[in-house]
Amino acid sequence: MENKLLELFEKHDTVSMNDDIFPLVEEEFAGQVMGNEVYELAHQYIGQLLWGVYAAGISFIASPVFGGGDFGKMVVTDVVYEKVTV
């Protein structure tokens, strides 16, 4: 099974939830009616891809990107995964 997320990490130092990971989810679950069951499957799918990246020896951290929401509340607008090199 190919791991498209691993391929992204091999080419780039950062991967964005919005720009990189969501398109993978949309591709994987294209044509399915979105609902709680598909959301859970998507959660598991991304978890498997991330574990595959880690198992391949790439360490990473996840950092939230903040923005302004309604009524001045801070919201997370993206999550950026960044390779950790030691």
Side-chain angles (χ1 to χ4, degrees):
M1 177 176 144
E2 71 179 327
N3 185 332
K4 293 182 180 180
L5 190 53
L6 176 59
E7 292 172 14
L8 286 171
F9 269 109
E10 290 174 338
K11 295 177 186 174
H12 306 285
D13 289 334
T14 61
V15 175
S16 163
M17 178 67 76
N18 291 344
D19 297 335
D20 302 309
I21 296 176
F22 281 159
L24 297 178
V25 172
E26 290 170 345
E27 179 183 322
E28 182 69 20
F29 295 97
Q32 296 189 38
V33 177
M34 291 296 163
N36 290 338
E37 184 175 316
V38 174
Y39 299 150
E40 178 58 30
L41 291 172
H43 169 77
Q44 293 175 16
Y45 171 70
I46 293 303
Q48 290 173 1
L49 293 180
L50 288 169
W51 274 107
V53 170
Y54 179 75
I58 298 175
S59 299
F60 55 89
I61 60 166
S63 299
V65 177
F66 297 105
D70 293 338
F71 307 109
K73 291 187 179 184
M74 186 170 29
V75 296
V76 175
T77 60
D78 197 1
V79 176
V80 175
Y81 297 83
E82 184 177 352
K83 281 186 201 177
V84 175
T85 55
V86 184

